[in-house]
Amino acid sequence: MSEHDVQREVSELQAESATAARIFDLRRIIGGLFVLYGIIVTIAGINPSDATLDKAEGVNINLWTGLGMLILGIFFLIWQKLKPVAPPQRETPEE
């Protein structure tokens, strides 16, 4: 293998590492789950029953909790977009 081939393989592996770091960023996973569950809970809170409102002493808890979850999930996704994870840098031995 020539040195050019080795350099090309190293750069390909670094690109794959950067992609894996972005895919498995916890902010993306947490943000996505909060957005998904926030949508579900907000939909449940849009048209509450009288029994549900009586249990929560007149507060539409599903609506407010769902909106809070949506806001938190969107915050995590924006944070992940603005400050992406830098892939770990390997130290190369000096020649």
Side-chain angles (χ1 to χ4, degrees), residues 35-93:
V35 167
L36 177 68
Y37 292 143
I39 290 170
I40 292 169
V41 174
T42 301
I43 289 172
I46 288 176
N47 193 12
S49 66
D50 292 334
T52 305
L53 288 176
D54 289 341
K55 283 183 192 177
E57 297 181 7
V59 177
N60 192 348
I61 195 82
N62 285 337
L63 181 65
W64 289 109
T65 304
L67 291 175
M69 291 173 78
L70 275 172
I71 291 169
L72 183 64
I74 291 169
F75 167 75
F76 269 93
L77 294 175
I78 290 173
W79 178 27
Q80 186 261 334
K81 196 71 159 172
L82 293 177
K83 295 271 259 182
V85 173
Q89 297 294 325
R90 291 188 193 180
E91 293 182 21
T92 56

Side-chain angles (χ1 to χ4, degrees), residues 4-20:
H4 178 63
D5 291 336
V6 171
Q7 290 294 335
R8 186 174 46 83
E9 279 190 40
V10 167
S11 64
E12 288 174 3
L13 288 173
Q14 287 176 342
E16 289 176 9
S17 174
T19 301

